[in-house]
Amino acid sequence: MRRKLRLTVVGIAILKYAGLALGAFFMLLPFAWMIVSSFMSAAEIMARPLRWLPAELQLRNYEALAAAIPLGNMYANSLIVTISITVGVLLTSSLAGYGFAKFHFPGRDILFVLVLATMMIPFFVVLIPIFFLVRQLGWMDSYLGLIVPNIVTAFGIFLMRQYMLTLPDELLDAARIDGASELAIYWRIALPLAGPALGALAILAFVYHWNSFLWPLVVIRSRELATIPIGLNSLRVYASSPEVINLQMAGAALAIIPVVAVFAVLQRHFVRGIALTGIKG
Amino acid sequence: MSIAIPSVARVANGAAPRRRPYGRRALAGYGFITPAIVFLIGFALLPFLFTVYVSLHDWNMLTAVTSMPFRGLDNYRYLIFEDPLFRQTFANTFVFAAGNVAISSLLALGVALLLNGEVRFPTFWRAVYFLPYVTSSVAISIVWANLYHPSYGLFNGILELFQLPGARFLASLETAMPSVIAVAVWHAVGYYMIIFLAGLQSIPLEVYEAAKVDGANAWHRFRSITLPLLRPTLLFVAVVNTLGSLQVFDLAFVLTNGGPVNATNTVVLYMYQTAFNFTRMGRASAMAVMLFLVILVITLVQLRLLREKE
């Protein structure tokens, strides 16, 4: 009887790890093949039966890639744009979240309903007007055009407001009695205490805008201003002949590996951030 | 809520005079929210109203905003009754959303259940499943398009090793949409897994132990404890997943550009083409408004359905 029970337990454990491993295999296979084939020659990619590894590492693929698209510019542009947007989002969200959570003023509740309402507006609905607006402002094909329309999000305001509600009023009032200005209280007390929410928002905003494609696609015209997704997309238009498959794979690898490295270091925070917003949202 | 505000303010301000129940701190409050509110009005609310306005007009973005010819509901009438491609993209979008929501939610729940119990290396498994979510959809679409390549792709190479017939994946009318859905599921499953895990971990262990003592088996515990207590999480995943799926653009654009013969063209992609390739802003705006309304209705229905059962 007891032995039978133990056998079932072991059986279930085996099934469980087999399931997890099978899933993990499918999750990792595309990445593994991306890296392997980025070092293959065109002949090796075409070879049938399938070759699993390149006979020798074709570093030329990466050289050809660097000649085909402006890699340095792409990284720099993506960094500049994504960091600016993230800082903007953190600043505007925490300011407004703090204002909504900790102050009383006429119209506050109506204005907060307005924030919630704009949360319901998906980006594609306002794509054409924002494109038009940015063009009228003369921001086409510029950092300003990429950054400015994105530095405020209703979701960020909502998230920060929910978190700021939990800060104790006594602490803020004590600082007021000590004569601190409202801005100083926000900057020195509220902001440091809101660390976890700021971290979650920073990670979400960074990943979202680092990978963002539709908006840069309509705003950016010149090669020099291409972000990483835009630069990669320009490889695609050659259509996949074997001569460009290894190039495309090299490009995808260079786009993905830094993100994976950052993710490996910050994994815990990613997970906590997603979980936090999942429950709050 | 609004009745409570003055009294709270009075307590907070101590001896503040009655004539100014909100005091100077109200000004500070406005100061904190003003930048964000101005931006939301300028970059979300007014643009939204402008989309609705443009959808009732003909506009190529060259004529002045004040002189675009008014067409009433003609753009809507045309799209619904005279444009088979619009109907097709709508149907495609729904097929994509239904497939993606059902499969990715179920798989995510399955993986989360496996990871929720006692597991060796939980961080490793979580990271592996979550990894695709942080990577650029353009980059992974390029990788998958090559995996799917009928002549040089990995998948057909593997099938050939086992002497199985190859598939045409993105290149055939029948298999293109399922192939796009597979990429979407692969890309997003980890995100929903994390949310399910957080939901599962908020269920107190004592409830399970009590049920065990009462002799409930694993399936019973899942049916009568896990599922009901997970309802808020299920609701969140269903709503967010549906919202995102109905707006699919990146995958359709990079994997297939809507092809073959529009088999994977979606509403947002068709809207993009209509607006930026053919500069028919009125029609594109009408598409945006219709999809927006559909998303709004579906979200409200989902919220209603899942709330009722609580």
Side-chain angles (χ1 to χ4, degrees):
Chain A
M1 179 70 188
R2 188 172 288 168
R3 225 177 118 201
K4 201 176 155 196
L5 192 71
R6 192 183 290 162
L7 273 179
T8 347
V9 170
V10 171
I12 287 175
I14 289 174
L15 273 181
K16 180 158 140 179
Y17 285 105
L20 282 175
L22 185 71
F25 173 77
F26 281 112
M27 299 313 279
L28 294 179
L29 182 68
F31 294 124
W33 188 247
M34 167 186 81
I35 292 170
V36 169
S37 56
S38 76
F39 289 110
M40 282 182 170
S41 66
E44 282 170 322
I45 285 178
M46 283 194 288
R48 288 295 184 271
L50 193 67
R51 297 257 184 92
W52 290 105
L53 290 170
E56 58 180 304
L57 295 185
Q58 300 289 334
L59 295 172
R60 276 190 328 195
N61 294 341
Y62 285 86
E63 285 164 23
L65 176 74
I69 52 174
L71 281 171
N73 279 358
M74 285 157 54
Y75 274 104
N77 293 335
S78 274
L79 273 176
I80 291 168
V81 170
T82 312
I83 291 175
S84 308
I85 292 175
T86 306
V87 169
V89 164
L90 290 181
L91 205 62
T92 57
S93 301
S94 60
L95 278 168
Y98 180 63
F100 277 118
K102 291 298 174 193
F103 292 87
H104 303 283
F105 46 86
R108 182 188 69 168
D109 294 351
I110 291 169
L111 288 171
F112 191 63
V113 168
L114 180 120
V115 172
L116 293 180
T118 54
M119 231 164 97
M120 294 292 290
I121 302 174
F123 179 69
F124 77 88
V125 182
V126 290
L127 175 66
I128 293 169
I130 294 184
F131 175 82
F132 179 66
L133 179 61
V134 161
R135 213 180 62 172
Q136 294 304 101
L137 291 167
W139 292 349
M140 283 298 289
D141 208 20
S142 75
Y143 284 141
L144 275 181
L146 284 175
I147 295 167
V148 175
N150 290 307
I151 58 169
V152 176
T153 73
F155 170 73
I157 298 170
F158 175 73
L159 184 74
M160 291 314 299
R161 183 245 185 196
Q162 298 307 90
Y163 200 86
M164 294 282 193
L165 280 175
T166 65
L167 303 185
D169 283 322
E170 295 77 22
L171 208 61
L172 309 177
D173 286 334
R176 276 186 195 107
I177 291 165
D178 289 346
S181 74
E182 292 297 340
L183 210 56
I185 295 172
Y186 154 80
W187 188 253
R188 299 233 181 90
I189 298 173
L191 214 49
L193 286 174
L198 286 170
L201 186 57
I203 283 171
L204 290 178
F206 195 94
V207 171
Y208 182 85
H209 290 289
W210 181 265
N211 296 331
S212 161
F213 180 56
L214 177 53
W215 179 242
L217 183 67
V218 299
V219 175
I220 294 305
R221 292 279 168 274
S222 56
R223 234 170 89 90
E224 294 71 35
L225 280 172
T227 57
I228 291 173
I230 297 297
L232 281 182
N233 181 54
S234 68
L235 285 177
R236 185 186 59 94
V237 294
Y238 297 137
S240 306
S241 64
E243 289 76 30
V244 291
I245 287 182
N246 44 16
L247 217 69
Q248 292 179 338
M249 292 302 214
L254 286 185
I256 285 173
I257 288 168
V259 182
V260 171
V262 172
F263 169 65
V265 176
L266 294 177
Q267 208 237 127
R268 233 159 24 95
H269 301 276
F270 267 83
V271 169
R272 209 183 290 150
I274 301 268
L276 179 78
T277 53
I279 290 163
K280 291 257 158 90
Chain B
M1 187 70 186
S2 54
I3 302 166
I5 289 169
S7 62
V8 172
R10 217 170 298 140
V11 171
N13 288 343
R18 264 201 140 174
R19 286 172 284 119
R20 281 166 47 195
Y22 290 101
R24 282 179 59 193
R25 281 182 55 200
L27 275 181
Y30 287 121
F32 280 113
I33 66 163
T34 299
I37 293 293
V38 168
F39 255 88
L40 281 186
I41 291 174
F43 282 100
L45 197 68
L46 292 180
F48 173 74
L49 297 175
F50 191 66
T51 298
V52 177
Y53 179 80
V54 173
S55 78
L56 304 173
H57 295 75
D58 251 355
W59 192 38
N60 56 12
M61 242 188 216
L62 294 172
T63 47
V65 171
T66 44
S67 62
M68 50 173 105
F70 181 71
R71 289 282 180 267
L73 293 174
D74 201 51
N75 287 322
Y76 294 90
R77 187 194 55 75
Y78 173 83
L79 287 168
I80 294 171
F81 297 108
E82 282 172 37
D83 186 1
L85 185 50
F86 178 68
R87 289 199 295 265
Q88 192 190 343
T89 58
F90 226 95
N92 288 344
T93 305
F94 267 88
V95 170
F96 173 84
N100 185 32
V101 170
I103 300 171
S104 66
S105 303
L106 273 179
L107 281 179
L109 180 59
V111 178
L113 286 170
L114 285 180
L115 289 180
N116 189 41
E118 259 178 59
V119 170
R120 293 261 182 115
F121 317 116
T123 329
F124 166 77
W125 296 115
R126 237 176 20 199
V128 166
Y129 283 95
F130 188 65
L131 192 55
Y133 181 72
V134 298
T135 58
S136 142
S137 51
V138 175
I140 61 120
S141 295
I142 284 177
V143 171
W144 275 86
N146 288 332
L147 295 174
Y148 278 144
H149 197 289
S151 330
Y152 316 119
L154 175 69
F155 293 153
N156 274 347
I158 293 176
L159 288 173
E160 198 190 291
L161 285 182
F162 292 100
Q163 312 209 313
L164 292 166
R168 303 195 20 86
F169 299 108
L170 297 172
S172 104
L173 285 175
E174 291 76 33
T175 52
M177 185 53 94
S179 304
V180 173
I181 292 175
V183 182
V185 168
W186 176 84
H187 194 208
V189 69
Y191 172 70
Y192 299 113
M193 174 205 71
I194 297 289
I195 293 172
F196 276 129
L197 263 177
L200 286 170
Q201 274 154 14
S202 68
I203 301 174
L205 282 176
E206 296 83 51
V207 190
Y208 286 106
E209 268 146 33
K212 256 187 203 168
V213 171
D214 290 343
N217 65 27
W219 171 245
H220 278 137
R221 291 199 298 272
F222 177 72
R223 276 291 313 267
S224 44
I225 301 174
T226 311
L227 268 190
L229 288 179
L230 209 56
R231 185 147 275 145
T233 316
L234 283 167
L235 166 77
F236 178 79
V237 167
V239 170
V240 172
N241 204 345
T242 312
L243 278 175
S245 299
L246 290 173
Q247 299 174 42
V248 59
F249 172 82
D250 298 11
L251 292 185
F253 184 89
V254 182
L255 278 171
T256 58
N257 202 7
V261 210
N262 291 306
T264 59
N265 203 345
T266 64
V267 177
V268 177
L269 178 55
Y270 187 39
M271 181 200 89
Y272 168 86
Q273 292 165 341
T274 308
F276 296 101
N277 298 348
F278 305 110
T279 53
R280 289 185 171 276
M281 299 301 163
R283 243 176 234 173
S285 298
M287 291 180 204
V289 171
M290 278 192 269
L291 184 62
F292 169 71
L293 289 177
V294 168
I295 287 177
L296 195 67
V297 169
I298 290 179
T299 309
L300 294 178
V301 168
Q302 278 178 329
L303 287 172
R304 192 71 183 273
L305 275 181
L306 281 141
R307 283 250 167 84
E308 261 171 14
K309 289 186 188 150
E310 261 172 30

